[in-house]
Amino acid sequence: MRIGLVRHGLTDWNMLGKIQGQSDIPLNTEGRRQAELLGDRLLLTEEYTWDFVISSRLSRAEETGRIIASKLNIPILEPDPRLNERSFGQVEGLTLSERESKWGRDWHLQELGQEKDEEIQARGLAFMEDTWNTYPDKNMLVISHGGFLAQLYRSLYKERYTERIGNLSLTILEKTDLEWVPLLYNCTRHLLENKE
């Protein structure tokens, strides 16, 4: 079984540096173009085939998933709320400078209603386990969010992967007997080769 983990395409809040969290911000034109580019890459140049797409319930991930599923002519399953972005509480909608002016440089260490790392990791691992039990012979694309994916990778690989997760990045994991083995990590080649 292989899982392709994808961060949704660009939004206006991404461009402004605002934390989105569970605020339902749509893709912008560039985000849609990015999704098209990944769809083309998966269709034309990748060796792997995919059986279906599943996304979080947030529209930026759902639309990214629809664009890719349409390119590949594969079904998209009902969204799974376990794939939603981390809830950032009071800091959603604020830029870094706004966060720092309100709460200081260590704003992320304060109790501002953010979902805890352990909670995100638990729902991520539960999703992976359920997926393995339900679809052991399928290859699926999962469209989610940078904060969620970073915590999932931390729970699977500790400090092995710590770089920022790029919009429309592709990570491919393969399930072996005991673990998820990374075949590709945080790859944005399809965007780098098609810069406007």
Side-chain angles (χ1 to χ4, degrees):
M1 175 190 201
R2 292 191 186 99
I3 293 186
L5 294 154
V6 176
R7 182 183 174 197
H8 64 79
L10 194 71
T11 70
D12 288 344
W13 277 23
N14 286 144
M15 292 177 66
L16 295 170
K18 293 183 176 187
I19 286 189
Q20 294 175 117
Q22 294 188 3
S23 299
D24 200 8
I25 309 304
L27 293 180
N28 61 21
T29 301
E30 176 60 14
R32 291 181 190 98
R33 185 183 84 87
Q34 291 174 336
E36 295 272 350
L37 290 171
L38 179 56
D40 288 341
R41 172 184 172 176
L42 293 171
L43 182 65
L44 302 171
T45 65
E46 285 295 326
E47 61 184 287
Y48 309 115
T49 57
W50 303 99
D51 297 302
F52 58 85
V53 173
I54 188 168
S55 74
S56 86
R57 284 188 172 164
L58 297 170
S59 63
R60 58 192 182 269
E62 281 192 76
E63 186 176 5
T64 300
R66 281 196 306 273
I67 291 168
I68 293 170
S70 175
K71 283 266 182 189
L72 300 179
N73 197 28
I74 57 176
I76 185 164
L77 303 187
E78 281 296 309
D80 191 319
R82 292 176 296 184
L83 299 171
N84 284 359
E85 179 60 293
R86 162 186 238 146
S87 172
F88 278 96
Q90 296 177 55
V91 302
E92 289 191 16
L94 301 180
T95 63
L96 178 60
S97 60
E98 290 168 336
R99 297 188 299 269
E100 288 184 349
S101 71
K102 276 186 117 165
W103 298 293
R105 295 185 98 177
D106 291 332
W107 63 269
H108 57 286
L109 301 175
Q110 298 181 40
E111 186 59 54
L112 300 170
Q114 309 99 310
E115 188 177 5
K116 306 262 185 287
D117 291 355
E118 303 77 35
E119 295 168 339
I120 304 163
Q121 291 175 14
R123 64 180 163 95
L125 291 174
F127 171 81
M128 297 294 277
E129 187 66 21
D130 288 351
T131 297
W132 169 242
N133 290 329
T134 308
Y135 307 105
D137 58 345
K138 300 290 185 188
N139 293 338
M140 63 191 289
L141 290 166
V142 173
I143 318 300
S144 189
H145 306 267
F148 171 84
L149 292 171
Q151 289 301 322
L152 176 62
Y153 302 149
R154 183 168 293 154
S155 65
L156 292 171
Y157 307 114
K158 307 304 176 218
E159 298 301 318
R160 183 171 163 194
Y161 298 110
T162 57
E163 67 188 71
R164 183 181 175 280
I165 308 301
N167 284 103
L168 253 295
S169 66
L170 174 64
T171 297
I172 300 177
L173 307 181
E174 184 173 66
K175 179 69 170 174
T176 62
D177 291 338
L178 299 174
E179 61 183 340
W180 291 96
V181 176
L183 304 178
L184 184 69
Y185 178 73
N186 198 25
C187 182
T188 57
R189 185 181 76 229
H190 47 285
L191 302 183
L192 298 173
E193 292 171 349
N194 293 280
K195 282 192 172 178
E196 285 195 333

